[in-house]
Amino acid sequence: MSALAVITALGLSLSACAAASPSPAATVSVEPLTPSTPSPTASTAKSPRGNFVKEVGSSAGITNKDSDRIVTFTVNSLTPDAPCTGPYPQPVVNGHVVILDVSIETFPELADPNGGYSEFDMNAGMFKFVGTNGTTFNGDLNTQGAYMCLADEESISHNGRGIGPAEKVTGKIALDVPEPHGTLIFRSHLTSGSTGWEWTF
């Protein structure tokens, strides 16, 4: 069964046909948001890839089919060639470490009483990298070197669990990328991958 996902970020609205949802009632959208802390560089522009172009410090978010806000997230900083802080760092495979400092807030409406997704996840395996020449990298950004780069208490994904309803989380995500500069793309399972967000650094 197809679900209609309405994708917006900070005021822009777009209708798109999403892929099959995990349950008939699990339709989600990304709707206009009012960040708890206003972003100094809020943007509603879209890239040629169809993703919302974000600046570091600007918020993004997702709402459900009833236009209830269920998730907001902000990349607070993005640091290329960052030093690893984990107790057992390992060499990266692709050449460079990029560390994102991220704040995430979920709302009670994230809980799906019909058995669909009730968690939000943001981890290294959900990102893609586009090089400065415009070519999308085919390799894995979630290598052992990236995973071991951060101490457990710093990482938002080391426990292997998603973020449930009504939670606030701040932490880091390490990515193993082939260049110190480029574009990162994040897409969430909550929007069925119909669009995403990207940051150029």
Side-chain angles (χ1 to χ4, degrees):
M1 173 180 176
S2 292
L4 184 66
V6 181
I7 309 300
T8 65
L10 301 172
L12 179 63
S13 183
L14 168 70
S15 294
C17 290
S21 60
S23 76
T27 304
V28 289
S29 314
V30 181
E31 285 287 335
L33 300 176
T34 303
S36 52
T37 302
S39 165
T41 54
S43 171
T44 57
K46 298 195 80 175
S47 74
R49 291 172 285 270
N51 303 308
F52 291 104
V53 177
K54 307 303 296 181
E55 300 287 343
V56 170
S58 62
S59 297
I62 303 170
T63 67
N64 63 18
K65 62 184 176 62
D66 297 318
S67 299
D68 299 317
R69 181 168 46 172
I70 57 176
V71 177
T72 60
F73 59 90
T74 304
V75 174
N76 303 307
S77 65
L78 193 160
T79 308
D81 288 328
C84 290
T85 56
Y88 308 107
Q90 298 188 17
V92 292
V93 175
N94 303 322
H96 301 270
V97 170
V98 171
I99 294 181
L100 285 68
D101 181 274
V102 180
S103 295
I104 300 168
E105 182 176 4
T106 62
F107 298 86
E109 290 78 10
L110 175 63
D112 187 345
N114 299 296
Y117 289 120
S118 293
E119 291 184 331
F120 175 76
D121 199 8
M122 194 176 197
N123 61 59
M126 302 172 75
F127 284 83
K128 292 197 296 185
F129 177 82
V130 179
T132 53
N133 65 354
T135 301
T136 300
F137 179 57
N138 291 328
D140 184 11
L141 307 186
N142 190 24
T143 63
Q144 187 71 7
Y147 183 81
M148 299 299 291
C149 184
L150 298 172
D152 287 356
E153 61 272 16
E154 291 182 288
S155 172
I156 65 171
S157 57
H158 272 192
N159 62 18
R161 298 186 300 273
I163 302 166
E167 294 187 38
K168 292 183 180 181
V169 175
T170 298
K172 296 179 179 180
I173 302 169
L175 306 174
D176 184 353
V177 299
E179 297 180 52
H181 300 285
T183 298
L184 291 173
I185 299 172
F186 168 70
R187 290 190 173 183
S188 172
H189 61 280
L190 291 176
T191 60
S192 302
S194 55
T195 195
W197 301 265
E198 59 182 70
W199 300 261
T200 297
F201 61 100

